[in-house]
Amino acid sequence: MPDSSPSSSRPPQVGRRTLLGAAAAATAAPVVLGSASRAAAAPAPRKKPRALPGGGDLGPNVLVFDPSTPGIQARLDEVFRQQESAQFGTGRYALLFKPGTYSGLNAQLGFYTSIAGLGLSPDDTTINGDVTVDAGWFNGNATQNFWRSAENLALVPANGTNRWAVAQAAPFRRMHIRGGLNLAPSGYGWASGGYIADSRIDGQIGPYSQQQWYTRDSAIGSWLNGVWNMVFSGVEGAPAQSFPNPPYTTLATTPISREKPFLYLQGSEYRVFLPEKRTNARGVTWGNGTPRGTSLPLTQFYVARPGVSAATLNQALEQGLHLLLTPGIYHLSEPLRINRANTVVLGLGYATLIPDGGVTAVKVADVDGVRLAGFLVDAGPVNSPTLLEIGPRGASRDHSANPTTVQDVFIRIGGAGPGKATTSMVVNSRHTIIDHTWVWRADHGDGVGWETNRADYGVVVNGDDVLATGLFVEHFNKYDVQWFGQRGRTIFFQNEKAYDAPNQAAIQNGSTKGYAAYRVGDAVTSHEGWGLGSYCYYNVDPTIVQHHGFAAPVRPDVRFHNLLVVSLGGQGQYECVINDTGSPTSGTSTVPSTVVSYP
C-alpha cells in the first residue's frame, strides 16, 4: 500500500498548498397647501412590467444525453479538453443523463463541470464506466481540483474502482458506486480534501494521500486509511471513533440534514425535487421507494441565462418564481433579494454570480425554508461589505421546522481577477444549515496579493442554532470564521491561514499573535464542534508565529472534539491548538498537534 503521508518533496512553483464573500420608492409628488388649483398633477401610473414566463430551454451549456444519443464519449472528451486546466476560465457546463443504462463511458471532469443523472434515484441512471477526476494537468497534484461535481448516478467502474481525486468545492452527492472509490490522483500525489453525502459505495473507499475528508449520511463498504482529519456523521460502515490515531472522528448520526435540491425528469417534464428535513439522520435518503420530499415543475422556475440583469432576476423572484441559473456568468448591479419563504435558487454547472460596484450578491429575508444550492459567488473589483447575507441584521424568527439551507454555494475572492469583500458570508437567520461550502480568498491566480484581494473575514454567524456540516474556509486576512450565535454546531472544518501575510506585524491581533481560524465570541455560552483543522503555510515570511488555530470562551457548554493544527513544512508555526491549550507544532516536520477534547 502506498505511503499515506504527503511527500516531503515539492514540485517547482506550485501556487497553492504544496504539502499537501424595488428600486427606491418613487418620491411623492409635492402638494402646495391652501391652493387646490395649483396642486401638482398626479403622476402617470407606472407601467407594470410584463410577467416573466416560467420554464423553458436549459441553454447550450446544458448537454442532455439519453442511451441512444450518438457520440456521447466524443462530446464528453470535447468538454474535458476545454475545461481540464481552465481553472479561472469562463466555461461552465452541466452534463445530464436521462434515466437508462450507458456503457463504455469515461466522463473525465474538468473545472466548472457538473455531471448528474435525471432520475429520482441514482439507480435510475447507470453508467457502466467511470466518472473520473485525476490530476494529470497539474503533474499529479490534486490540490487544485476545485469546482466540479457528480450527482445522482450509479456507476459500475470499468476496473472495479472509480477515481475521484478532488480538493475543495467538488461535491459527490447521491452517488451509487457498485465497486470501490479512490480519492487520490494517479501516483498518489498530494490531495487536500473533499465531501461525500447521501451516497452508497459498495466497496472500499481509499483516501490514500487525502489530508482531510468529510462524509455525511451515506453507506460505505469500508474505509482504508487516513492522513490528518477524516470525519464521518451518519455513515453506515464508517470506521470507529479513534482520533488522533487513526484520525477518525465518527458521529453515529447527523443532528439535522436536508439534502440538496436536484433536477429530474418525470416522463418528458423537468421537475426539481426538494428532499425533506431529517433529524438524527443516518444512511442514504434513496433506495427504498420514492424519496421523501416534494417537487416543483420547471414552469415554477425562471430559467435564467447568462446576460440577464439583476433587475429581471428580482422581478422573477417578486413574481413568485424560483430561480434556475443555467451555466454561465451573471453580473449583478443590485443584490438578488429573496423575500419569499421556500424560494429555491438552484445553479447548474457552477453558474457564477459577480456583484458589480460593491453590492452584495444575495440577500435573504428572515423567512422559512429558502434553499440556495449549486452556484459560485465571485467577488468583484470594488469592495463589497458582504457577498452573501442569510437574514438581515437582528433576524430572530424560529425556523427550526423549516430552516434555510446553503448547499454547494461557494465564494471566491480573487483568482479570476481582483476581488474584494470585507465579509464573505453572514448568517443572521436562526436554524440555518450550511451544508458544504468553500469560502476562499485566493492564494493563486490573477488579482492575488495581501491588499489586492483584501478580505478580512470569511464566515460570520450571528444567528442562533446554526449548524454547519462541511465548512471549508481559507486564507482570510483576519478571522476565517467568527461565531457569535448561541448553540452553534460545526461538524468538520478545514482551514488554511493566509499564505501571503508579509510579516508578523501584518497579522498581529492586539497582544495575540495572529487571528484564529475559528473564533467563538466571548458572549457565547453554548457551542460545539467536531473534527476541526487549521494549517499554516506562511511562505512570504516563514518566521511568522500564529498563537492558536481556535479561540473560544472557557465555559462548560462550549465544547470541541478532535482539533488539530499543522505547520506545512515549517512555513510558520502554531504555539497552541485552542486558546492556550495544545502543544506547539514541531519545526519542519509536518505533523499535527492535536487536542482530543476541550475544555
Side-chain angles (χ1 to χ4, degrees), residues 224-552:
L224 179 60
N225 72 303
V227 177
W228 294 335
N229 192 31
M230 305 282 134
V231 180
F232 310 83
S233 68
V235 178
E236 297 169 355
Q241 166 70 36
S242 58
F243 186 90
N245 187 25
Y248 298 149
T249 297
T250 303
L251 287 73
T253 61
T254 304
I256 305 168
S257 63
R258 189 174 70 189
E259 299 303 329
K260 173 180 172 285
F262 62 92
L263 191 68
Y264 73 104
L265 276 172
Q266 181 175 290
S268 60
E269 177 194 16
Y270 283 108
R271 298 182 69 89
V272 173
F273 193 82
L274 308 177
E276 71 173 18
K277 186 188 77 166
R278 298 199 291 170
T279 57
N280 298 317
R282 182 173 174 85
V284 301
T285 63
W286 49 272
N288 295 309
T290 303
R292 298 176 67 90
T294 58
S295 75
L296 299 170
L298 198 63
T299 53
Q300 292 184 20
F301 284 77
Y302 179 72
V303 179
R305 297 279 195 95
V308 69
S309 69
T312 298
L313 295 172
N314 279 324
Q315 180 191 340
L317 292 167
E318 291 165 11
Q319 192 178 304
L321 293 171
H322 307 278
L323 295 183
L324 185 73
L325 304 173
T326 64
I329 296 174
Y330 298 74
H331 282 269
L332 304 178
S333 60
E334 60 184 71
L336 298 187
R337 297 182 178 90
I338 302 169
N339 297 322
R340 180 171 49 89
N342 302 310
T343 298
V344 179
V345 179
L346 176 61
L348 301 179
Y350 287 88
T352 301
L353 307 178
I354 302 178
D356 294 331
V359 303
T360 298
V362 181
K363 290 189 174 186
V364 180
D366 193 18
V367 295
D368 271 357
V370 172
R371 304 186 195 224
L372 306 180
F375 58 88
L376 173 64
V377 178
D378 211 350
V382 178
N383 185 74
S384 293
T386 60
L387 292 172
L388 175 60
E389 184 180 284
I390 309 299
R393 183 184 297 273
S396 60
R397 294 180 182 176
D398 186 320
H399 303 294
S400 55
N402 187 12
T404 285
T405 45
V406 182
Q407 299 177 286
D408 302 347
V409 174
F410 307 120
I411 296 177
R412 177 173 69 193
I413 300 94
K420 292 186 178 183
T422 303
T423 303
S424 291
M425 181 189 299
V426 178
V427 180
N428 293 316
S429 287
R430 294 181 62 193
H431 302 102
T432 299
I433 299 172
I434 306 168
D435 177 44
H436 190 225
T437 189
W438 185 39
V439 181
W440 183 57
R441 175 181 168 266
D443 60 273
H444 64 274
D446 294 331
V448 172
W450 185 248
E451 296 295 344
T452 306
N453 62 329
R454 182 84 194 185
D456 283 351
Y457 309 111
V459 175
V460 175
V461 179
N462 296 314
D464 295 340
D465 307 290
V466 172
L467 170 66
T469 51
L471 184 60
F472 299 71
V473 188
E474 296 190 296
H475 303 310
F476 285 84
N477 295 77
K478 292 185 178 179
Y479 291 111
D480 298 277
V481 172
Q482 293 189 93
W483 206 298
F484 300 112
Q486 299 289 354
R487 298 175 299 280
R489 291 175 289 184
T490 295
I491 303 172
F492 183 89
F493 171 68
Q494 189 267 324
N495 165 263
E496 286 183 342
K497 295 303 298 174
Y499 293 174
D500 57 344
N503 49 49
Q504 187 76 43
I507 64 161
Q508 191 67 19
N509 181 16
S511 61
T512 303
K513 299 172 185 174
Y515 292 83
Y518 188 108
R519 174 200 176 202
V520 178
D522 293 342
V524 173
T525 58
S526 177
H527 187 91
E528 195 158 12
W530 297 262
L532 282 64
S534 177
Y535 319 143
C536 73
Y537 182 67
Y538 287 118
N539 61 343
V540 175
D541 181 358
T543 68
I544 290 175
V545 174
Q546 176 87 20
H547 181 62
H548 48 217
F550 304 92

Side-chain angles (χ1 to χ4, degrees), residues 110-140:
F111 288 97
Y112 314 109
T113 306
S114 298
I115 189 170
L118 287 170
L120 260 182
S121 166
D123 289 329
D124 293 340
T125 310
T126 298
I127 294 177
N128 291 302
D130 297 85
V131 172
T132 301
V133 178
D134 206 342
W137 74 278
F138 201 43
N139 300 317

Side-chain angles (χ1 to χ4, degrees), residues 40-132:
R46 294 174 63 183
K47 187 175 181 180
K48 187 175 181 179
R50 180 179 299 176
L52 295 168
D57 186 80
L58 300 179
N61 284 20
V62 176
L63 310 182
V64 181
F65 305 105
D66 66 46
S68 65
T69 302
I72 297 176
Q73 186 65 56
R75 192 70 177 101
L76 297 175
D77 291 346
E78 180 185 357
V79 172
F80 179 64
R81 281 192 298 271
Q82 179 180 320
Q83 299 301 116
E84 179 182 11
S85 58
Q87 182 171 177
F88 299 110
T90 58
R92 304 285 187 274
Y93 288 92
L95 313 173
L96 305 183
F97 286 76
K98 293 181 180 181
T101 300
Y102 303 76
S103 295
L105 297 181
N106 180 17
Q108 300 183 79
L109 299 188
F111 288 97
Y112 314 109
T113 306
S114 298
I115 189 170
L118 287 170
L120 260 182
S121 166
D123 289 329
D124 293 340
T125 310
T126 298
I127 294 177
N128 291 302
D130 297 85
V131 172
T132 301

